Amino acid sequence: MRPFFSYYGAKWTVAKWLGPPRRDLVVEPFAGSACYATRWAAKRALLFDLSEDIVALWDWLIRCSTADVLRLPDRVESFDEVAALPLGPRLLLQFWVAKGRAEPSGALSPWYFQHRSSTDCRVWGSAVKARLVAQKPAIAGWEVRCGSYNEAPDLDAHWHVDPPYAGSPGRRYPKSDIDYAALAAWCMTRRGAVDVCENAGATWLPFRPIGTVVSLRGRRNGSRSEEAVWSVVNTAEPPTSEAT
């Protein structure tokens, strides 16, 4: 599947390098646009995020009908038209009328006006609606919850952990205050397969470089992101006293 919406720091490219899920259930405890579960069309996914907007958007995408999507306008002329929509559709368009944002946009971007006549999915339009309609059946087995990573249940799963990066890249997120030592300890105790994403050079886990990503912004100014990952497969059983 292709991304359901544009989001800052999404792992669409990195997901390809990480390979397919190594468990039937994918858990994304810092969900964002959930591009790992999306890229590999996970039949079962459990998403967590502290952003109420992200959770509300995913909840709508999972629960809405094809007719709900088709009723949305193919294009808008002013942000007032976006603001007048119900919460789920409004958030969807807010992420599509401005690209690569960490929060819903409060305006129609120049990028939207530049590309809204294109026949691809660069910005919101009929092509995006067609994508959503085609992909919606594949996320029927997904669930989203509002909460911190450490509220995720102890499950044998494929854990795709993509927190706000340490340093300046991560500070663009509205909720970026991370205790990385605590997060590292938590990651090392997950059961199943674990992939943890970071910038190359991060030291809170023994990350290895995995590749270079040219972001949307990088296509304009040449900037690149050197991506890294820490991976492990842990088959240890949980303590018998721990609640499931």
Side-chain angles (χ1 to χ4, degrees):
M1 295 190 291
R2 303 287 297 183
F4 282 82
F5 58 94
S6 175
Y7 191 67
Y8 173 69
K11 291 298 179 292
W12 173 252
T13 299
V14 175
K16 181 179 179 180
W17 299 336
L18 296 175
R22 302 186 292 282
R23 293 293 190 276
D24 290 337
L25 172 66
V26 172
V27 183
E28 296 208 29
F30 299 87
S33 56
C35 271
Y36 181 83
T38 298
R39 176 127 206 179
W40 292 105
K43 292 183 179 179
R44 297 174 58 221
L46 178 56
L47 312 180
F48 277 80
D49 208 288
L50 283 173
S51 167
E52 293 180 356
D53 288 334
I54 291 295
V55 172
L57 175 49
W58 272 117
D59 187 65
W60 184 80
L61 286 168
I62 294 167
R63 297 172 183 272
C64 73
S65 67
T66 295
D68 292 330
V69 177
L70 293 175
R71 276 195 294 268
L72 298 177
D74 285 353
R75 65 162 61 192
V76 292
E77 301 300 330
S78 74
F79 188 77
D80 289 343
E81 296 173 62
V82 177
L85 293 170
L87 178 60
R90 171 170 59 79
L91 291 167
L92 178 66
L93 266 69
Q94 283 179 276
F95 279 110
W96 273 110
V97 298
K99 302 287 280 188
R101 302 291 181 93
E103 296 181 86
S105 176
L108 305 183
S109 70
W111 174 270
Y112 172 72
F113 287 107
Q114 180 181 352
H115 294 288
R116 68 177 182 168
S117 295
S118 65
T119 57
D120 58 20
C121 293
R122 287 187 231 187
V123 298
W124 177 257
S126 58
V128 175
K129 290 171 60 175
R131 175 191 291 184
L132 298 182
V133 167
Q135 295 185 172
K136 255 199 60 59
I139 61 172
W142 291 21
E143 180 184 350
V144 63
R145 303 179 190 176
C146 191
S148 173
Y149 71 89
N150 52 22
E151 296 177 60
D154 182 15
L155 300 169
D156 189 323
H158 185 109
W159 298 82
H160 177 76
V161 185
D162 181 27
Y165 286 179
S168 58
R171 287 196 286 272
R172 290 188 60 184
Y173 296 98
K175 298 181 184 294
S176 58
D177 186 13
I178 304 290
D179 181 337
Y180 289 98
L183 177 57
W186 181 86
C187 291
M188 288 187 284
T189 60
R190 296 308 88 202
R191 288 188 296 139
V194 187
D195 292 328
V196 185
C197 298
E198 248 289 8
N199 266 343
T203 58
W204 54 273
L205 279 172
F207 295 100
R208 59 179 175 83
I210 192 173
T212 300
V213 172
V214 180
S215 66
L216 187 68
R217 179 173 296 183
R219 294 173 196 168
R220 298 192 294 266
N221 63 18
S223 64
R224 297 170 180 264
S225 174
E226 301 296 331
E227 300 291 321
V229 67
W230 176 80
S231 299
V232 70
V233 175
N234 184 2
T235 58
E237 292 296 323
T240 56
S241 61
E242 187 171 337
T244 58

